[in-house]
Amino acid sequence: MIDKRLEHFLLFEMSDDWMPVGAFASLIRRITPAGYSRQRILEVIAEIAAKGHLRFGGWAMKTTQTWEPWGVSDEVAISRIANGFEGSPGVLNATDKELANTEVFRADITDAGLARLAELGNPYEIYGDPWEGHRLMAAEGDFPRWDHEQGQG
């Protein structure tokens, strides 16, 4: 089961634009560091997809569109993300640098995901900024203090 803060931030980030797998890794590592692993990245993505909150896809290769859905089963999509697809390294075989930059997958938030996010509100206003104190990553705004201990278990 996904940590509720993590799920909330993932939905929020997906709502802005198609979200690459490296952003999933970064948020999981930051919000729930004790549970971070390459396998956990795949589990989190699969759980959010199973809830109907994301669509699998990536850069359009044969059209003028910038993004296109994969149109494959969740199992095939997770296999592509895990093992690589169309020349991009997968979560399980990428170096840390490759994982941060790979375009193996980009998640699109669904209408159900947007509805869930609307119910939850802005996670920064509820939980604070997980990047608080990080010079390059911290959000701008007056947010509650981030509790780094909450996601440790």
Side-chain angles (χ1 to χ4, degrees), residues 2 6 10 24 28 39-49 54:
I2 300 174
L6 175 60
L10 290 170
F24 281 88
I28 293 167
Q39 187 60 43
R40 185 67 183 143
I41 296 167
L42 300 170
E43 292 166 357
V44 166
I45 293 169
E47 186 173 333
I48 293 173
L54 73 75

Side-chain angles (χ1 to χ4, degrees), residues 85-139:
F85 181 63
E86 293 189 340
S88 293
V91 168
L92 298 178
N93 58 4
T95 65
D96 285 344
K97 184 176 181 178
E98 288 171 331
L99 181 60
N101 296 311
T102 187
E103 292 293 342
V104 70
F105 155 74
R106 283 189 170 257
D108 183 33
I109 194 166
T110 63
D111 289 342
L114 288 171
R116 179 67 178 138
L117 180 59
E119 291 172 14
L120 296 172
N122 184 323
Y124 287 88
E125 293 172 357
I126 297 167
Y127 303 112
D129 180 5
W131 305 105
E132 178 181 88
H134 191 285
R135 185 173 59 89
L136 299 175
M137 299 289 290

Side-chain angles (χ1 to χ4, degrees), residues 18-104:
W18 299 297
M19 191 167 139
V21 72
F24 281 88
S26 181
L27 283 166
I28 293 167
R29 182 178 276 161
R30 188 68 177 188
I31 296 173
T32 57
Y36 176 81
S37 71
R38 298 293 181 97
Q39 187 60 43
R40 185 67 183 143
I41 296 167
L42 300 170
E43 292 166 357
V44 166
I45 293 169
E47 186 173 333
I48 293 173
K51 291 180 178 184
H53 294 166
L54 73 75
R55 287 191 311 159
F56 295 103
W59 292 112
M61 303 305 247
K62 298 177 179 122
T63 69
T64 58
Q65 301 294 318
T66 56
W67 183 90
E68 63 186 5
W70 282 346
V72 298
S73 70
D74 288 5
E75 294 77 23
V76 170
I78 291 296
S79 178
R80 288 177 177 183
I81 297 165
N83 302 306
F85 181 63
E86 293 189 340
S88 293
V91 168
L92 298 178
N93 58 4
T95 65
D96 285 344
K97 184 176 181 178
E98 288 171 331
L99 181 60
N101 296 311
T102 187
E103 292 293 342
V104 70

